[in-house]
Amino acid sequence: MSVRVRCNKCRTAFMAADDRPGNIVPCPKCGARHKIPTTDVSEAPRVAPAPPVEVEDEVTSVFRPSGESRARSTWRRNRVLLGLLLLITAAASVALVAWPRFKPRSNDPVERVAEDYLEALTKDDSEAQRRLSVVEEPPAIRSYQQVSRDKTKNQTTKGSFAPIAALHKKIDADFAYDSAIGRFTPRHPLGAAGETLDALHKAKEDAEKSGVYDKMASGDPDDIFDAAESFGKVFSSLAEGALAPKKVLPTYKMLVEDAKPPLPAAEAALALDVARDPKTWDALLKRPFFTLKADGPFVYDRAQVDALVTDKLGSLGDPPTRLRLNLVRFRLEGINTAWRVTRARRVLPGVPDDDAEQPAPEPEEPRQPPSPPRSPGDVPSSGADAPAPVP
């Protein structure tokens, strides 16, 4: 009877005769020598039966993977694990870099508009910039962070637009706006010219009645000084009357300040804010402000948002600078501009920050003609502060 033997080296199973128990037989495949096991059960040591293991029956199977095949499987498994490790590392790096972009957005509508505008600046998205702002020359930035709203700068103006609409109606009846010069021109220029001529002729008649021309022709220094003073008063009266800018070529600010009756406080604040920056309001409303003739309530909101930004043209090592955004929202009946950025400026450390809008410059007061120089012996006709004559 034959005995089945398995080679411990090449794992090949072969049959050996059982009439030679304990003899050494070679493996027919690799030549390794093996001792034939004995078939006597009494001679075999008693060993506790091993628990069953669900493994492939190596005794009955001749086809087993070689060492090279197992090495290749191990290498493939190691490569897969290494690839997974690299993928996880790359995903973690991307998450760390992109986390500021994916952080939860603020629920504040003002901050959300400011963030969208800053994002449009970093991407050079001109269409989004026009949709979110009226800034003509936006700053060039590479990135931004720490967007926060200073709620202490919030301002809200509420009132009725009816007084402003009534003023606009009067302005439209008397003036036409000239965008080339940014002023209003009289709709009836001959009327203004006639008023000016009347004022000039009246000034001439008054001068003749007061004897100004005679004083100028007399050659007396005192009379000449009196005549010069009289002419100064005439010019001042004309500059404040018929030749006043608010009558010839007024600005919107002049018309608001000269309104009859005067505008209430809230309505005047809105109109004067428009007068300080008419271009911004034209872009905000898509039409001139003085063409609005609604009579319902209005709400004018202003807010301020700060952010740390890095300049696009700056060096990588430069520290971020603070960028301040001014946002406004205007609502009037069917008009709702939503929150829009109207101003973007950098706030540099150590430089005073002027948050308030600068008012438009006031028109210069007309200057009186200078008096002719006095000689040492001249005696002024009047005046407590006049110097005493020199003997």
Side-chain angles (χ1 to χ4, degrees):
M1 184 175 178
S2 299
V3 178
R4 188 178 184 85
V5 180
R6 186 171 211 39
C7 179
N8 293 329
K9 184 175 181 180
C10 65
R11 310 300 295 174
T12 301
F14 61 93
M15 304 300 293
D18 63 347
D19 57 349
R20 298 181 296 174
N23 290 345
I24 304 300
V25 294
C27 174
K29 183 176 181 180
C30 65
R33 301 174 65 81
H34 297 275
K35 183 178 180 180
I36 299 177
T38 179
T39 57
D40 189 358
V41 180
S42 61
E43 295 179 1
R46 296 190 178 186
V47 185
V53 180
E54 296 181 359
V55 296
E56 185 179 356
D57 187 3
E58 296 181 356
V59 178
T60 59
S61 177
V62 178
F63 303 99
R64 300 294 298 169
S66 63
E68 296 179 358
S69 177
R70 292 184 177 182
R72 286 196 298 270
S73 299
T74 303
W75 170 240
R76 285 195 296 269
R77 183 171 61 252
N78 292 339
R79 284 194 300 176
V80 171
L81 293 176
L82 180 61
L84 290 176
L85 180 60
L86 293 176
L87 182 61
I88 293 173
T89 303
S93 301
V94 172
L96 290 176
V97 173
W99 171 248
R101 300 293 185 185
F102 295 105
K103 64 181 181 179
R105 299 188 62 185
S106 171
N107 293 328
D108 189 337
V110 178
E111 292 185 6
R112 292 176 70 92
V113 171
E115 290 177 357
D116 292 341
Y117 177 66
L118 294 171
E119 188 71 19
L121 293 179
T122 59
K123 296 180 178 179
D124 290 331
D125 189 347
S126 57
E127 181 179 355
Q129 294 176 24
R130 288 192 297 268
R131 177 172 50 86
L132 298 169
S133 78
V134 294
V135 179
E136 294 182 355
E137 297 181 1
I141 63 174
R142 182 185 296 113
S143 62
Y144 68 93
Q145 57 183 331
Q146 298 183 12
V147 179
S148 61
R149 176 182 181 182
D150 187 357
K151 295 187 177 181
T152 61
K153 302 296 183 180
N154 294 350
Q155 298 181 26
T156 299
T157 304
K158 297 180 179 180
S160 173
F161 205 80
I164 301 178
L167 174 62
H168 289 175
K169 186 176 180 180
K170 293 180 180 179
I171 293 175
D172 187 61
D174 298 333
F175 298 95
Y177 184 71
D178 189 345
S179 58
I181 60 177
R183 288 174 176 264
F184 292 85
T185 59
R187 289 191 180 274
H188 311 287
L190 292 179
E195 183 180 354
T196 303
L197 290 175
D198 292 342
L200 289 174
H201 282 284
K202 185 178 184 306
K204 179 182 178 182
E205 292 177 359
D206 293 341
E208 291 176 348
K209 292 179 180 179
S210 61
V212 172
Y213 299 113
D214 296 335
K215 290 181 179 180
M216 294 180 62
S218 66
D220 187 357
D222 293 340
D223 291 342
I224 294 176
F225 292 144
D226 290 343
E229 186 178 359
S230 298
F231 274 118
K233 292 179 180 180
V234 170
F235 293 149
S236 177
S237 177
L238 290 173
E240 295 176 358
L243 298 179
K246 64 182 180 181
K247 289 188 177 182
V248 180
L249 291 174
T251 61
Y252 185 70
K253 179 176 183 291
M254 295 177 184
L255 296 174
V256 170
E257 293 177 339
D258 196 49
K260 300 291 188 299
L263 294 177
E267 288 74 5
L270 172 63
L272 291 176
D273 188 87
V274 175
R276 282 190 287 267
D277 196 0
K279 290 184 178 180
T280 296
W281 276 90
D282 290 349
L284 193 66
L285 298 174
K286 303 294 190 298
R287 55 176 168 171
F289 179 80
F290 51 81
T291 62
L292 301 180
K293 296 179 174 61
D295 57 0
F298 71 86
V299 181
Y300 176 40
D301 299 315
R302 283 156 288 180
Q304 181 176 288
V305 175
D306 289 355
L308 293 179
V309 300
T310 55
D311 294 335
K312 183 172 293 186
L313 301 179
S315 302
L316 295 178
D318 293 344
T321 59
R322 185 170 298 278
L323 186 69
R324 178 156 297 170
L325 305 177
N326 289 90
L327 297 91
V328 303
R329 179 179 59 177
F330 180 70
R331 289 169 287 173
L332 170 65
E333 294 182 352
I335 300 175
N336 187 353
T337 64
W339 284 104
R340 303 279 297 278
V341 180
T342 58
R343 190 180 180 192
R345 65 193 186 283
R346 287 180 174 84
V347 180
L348 302 178
V351 178
D353 178 35
D354 184 13
D355 291 333
E357 299 285 345
Q358 293 294 336
E362 297 287 346
E364 295 184 359
E365 295 292 337
R367 298 180 179 178
Q368 297 182 359
S371 302
R374 300 175 183 271
S375 61
D378 293 339
V379 180
S381 59
S382 62
D385 297 333
V390 180

